[in-house]
Amino acid sequence: MTRPEASTRSGLPASPRPYATSFDAIAADYAAARPTYPPALYDTVEQLTGRPLAESDVLDVGAGTGLGTRPLHERGARVTAAEPGPGMAAQFRATLPTTPLVRADGDHLPFAPATFDLVTYAQAWHWTDPARSVPEAFRVLRPTGALALWWNTPDPDDPWATAQRQRLREGLPRYHGHDMSRRAPSVIRGLGLPLTVLTCEVPWQRTVPVEAHLANLASHSYLTVAGPATTAPLLAAERAAATAAFPDGQVTERYVVRLTLAARTPDAAGA
């Protein structure tokens, strides 16, 4: 999805392509295991943009299997999805067959200027080159439109999530832990564009069986590229840890959705 030279600016591994494309082989598992996003997130997007999603023209970039796209559609938005990966795009079409989908990435959007009211990235902006994807987003946005980026991140105040992150860091040297979810506001401000940047955190949780929790874990890029010799013992250890921590077999996953929203400053929007 991105070029190697973009990865340094984004804080990704030096060669991100295997990570970015690793999802194509597990698209169905990704769709089944990954958490979606809470209604409060979409409420917050509406509050920060000052407009309802209903009847808005929305471009969801890096749409993957549609986990972030479906709620936008359910809110009444006119959604177009962009997804570069063939496997993920095929799963998207199976899940949301009536939603328009184009094969494209955020650095090169094949749309006319001023086409959309909102450009969104759900768990995907870290695969782009911000110096390209942000100007591209605002090229296709209308003057009062906004760019919204969000990530599900483990709740930093949850002892279980904290302990699991530490185990992953020890077992997977390239584990990145969604660092871009914290860095996105400063990265956008650092581009020097006439933008106002807002941030918000939305806590939520879900409870799933141990095996579903492990399937979610296994769907992350740092595990999919590691190979079975690494992932099998790591997942076995996580199964044992989860079984000990949640003896009823139901894992409560606590998340914080980190949202960054950028819009043109009033003077720039009116120019």
Side-chain angles (χ1 to χ4, degrees):
M1 292 183 187
T2 56
R3 288 156 297 283
E5 66 270 18
S7 65
T8 301
R9 289 189 288 271
S10 299
L12 292 169
S15 299
R17 185 170 295 279
Y19 289 76
T21 58
S22 65
F23 302 115
D24 283 317
I26 59 161
D29 294 336
Y30 186 108
R34 284 291 186 102
T36 183
Y37 306 96
L41 168 66
Y42 298 92
D43 293 340
T44 302
V45 170
E46 291 182 324
Q47 291 164 7
L48 294 181
T49 60
R51 65 177 300 149
L53 288 167
E55 302 303 318
S56 292
D57 293 306
V58 179
L59 174 62
D60 189 28
V61 187
T65 64
L67 291 174
T69 315
R70 184 189 292 275
L72 292 166
H73 176 74
E74 290 173 346
R75 291 271 180 145
R78 294 184 291 265
V79 188
T80 300
E83 168 54 44
M88 297 292 266
Q91 184 64 41
F92 183 100
R93 289 190 176 100
T95 303
L96 296 168
T98 63
T99 300
L101 172 67
V102 299
R103 293 286 303 285
D105 65 50
D107 294 346
H108 307 89
L109 296 174
F111 301 100
T115 300
F116 300 99
D117 301 303
L118 181 67
V119 172
T120 62
Y121 282 85
Q123 216 85 9
W125 190 67
H126 53 283
W127 298 120
T128 74
D129 176 355
R132 296 180 181 182
S133 63
V134 174
E136 269 293 88
F138 281 94
R139 181 184 66 80
V140 303
L141 280 168
R142 294 173 179 135
T144 58
L147 169 65
L149 323 169
W150 64 81
W151 291 264
N152 265 326
T153 63
D155 185 342
D157 295 326
D158 178 20
W160 161 257
T162 299
Q164 184 172 77
R165 286 198 304 275
Q166 183 58 38
R167 293 191 298 270
L168 292 173
R169 289 190 185 98
E170 293 170 356
L172 297 163
R174 290 191 174 184
Y175 171 72
H176 57 80
H178 298 292
D179 177 62
M180 185 54 82
S181 69
R182 294 184 181 275
R183 295 179 52 234
S186 62
V187 169
I188 294 175
R189 293 184 182 111
L191 296 174
L193 302 173
L195 301 175
T196 298
V197 182
L198 305 174
T199 63
C200 188
E201 294 190 348
V202 181
W204 75 288
Q205 66 183 49
R206 70 171 188 169
T207 299
V208 296
V210 168
E211 292 306 316
H213 173 73
L214 295 172
N216 174 25
L217 191 63
S219 74
H220 287 76
S221 61
Y222 44 79
L223 270 168
T224 60
V225 303
T230 297
T231 59
L234 189 149
L235 290 173
E238 287 306 310
R239 179 178 288 105
T243 301
F246 303 95
D248 65 350
Q250 299 292 312
V251 178
T252 297
E253 298 176 342
R254 292 185 169 86
Y255 295 99
V256 173
V257 181
R258 293 201 179 102
L259 167 67
T260 295
L261 190 138
R264 294 180 178 92
T265 58
D267 288 346

